[in-house]
Amino acid sequence: QVQLVESGGGLVQPGESLRLSCAASGSIFSTYTMGWYRQTPGKQRELVATITSGGSTNYADSVKGRFTISRDNAKNMVYLQMNSLKPEDTAVYFCNAKKFVIVTIYDYWGQGTQVTVSS
């Protein structure tokens, strides 16, 4: 079992930066692929970025070059640095922990943190 708590959301103006944090507890954090997803009303949750246990990263095309995902396994933390924010980045951002063990998927979500980009 993994518990995830996001923080760092808020209201910013276009072009500004924000860093989201996700604190994980309850299991072996380093073995999970961690990710950030976002969702706006009426739309499906979408991938923003992921980082594997080995540190490989993957980004949605819409955030490449602007967002950076990182993790600190010693602190059980994952971060999303968001630069050059745009109004279309407005969403609830969710932290995710996922791993596959043979035929079992372990998939955990945080409660989400609101990010609003508006002038």
Side-chain angles (χ1 to χ4, degrees):
Q1 190 80 4
V2 175
Q3 294 80 42
L4 303 171
V5 178
E6 303 98 334
S7 62
L11 171 64
V12 296
Q13 294 188 344
E16 293 186 339
S17 298
L18 208 57
R19 189 174 87 151
L20 304 182
S21 299
C22 174
S25 61
S27 188
I28 306 174
F29 171 80
S30 62
T31 64
Y32 285 80
T33 289
M34 301 301 297
W36 287 97
Y37 293 72
R38 65 188 182 188
Q39 188 170 23
T40 54
K43 293 189 176 181
Q44 284 191 327
R45 195 169 295 185
E46 65 175 7
L47 169 74
V48 176
T50 61
I51 183 166
T52 68
S53 57
S56 297
T57 57
N58 180 54
Y59 296 92
D61 288 343
S62 59
V63 306
K64 280 181 182 176
R66 299 187 299 122
F67 290 12
T68 303
I69 189 171
S70 61
R71 66 191 296 165
D72 185 336
N73 289 336
K75 297 181 178 179
N76 284 10
M77 297 290 294
V78 63
Y79 306 99
L80 184 68
Q81 178 66 43
M82 305 186 293
N83 298 328
S84 302
L85 282 161
K86 305 175 181 180
E88 50 263 42
D89 295 318
T90 295
V92 178
Y93 284 71
F94 296 89
C95 181
N96 174 258
K98 187 175 303 180
K99 72 174 179 180
F100 300 87
V101 180
I102 308 177
V103 296
T104 303
I105 301 173
Y106 297 87
D107 193 13
Y108 303 100
W109 294 90
Q111 293 299 306
T113 185
Q114 177 71 47
V115 172
T116 303
V117 185
S118 175
S119 55

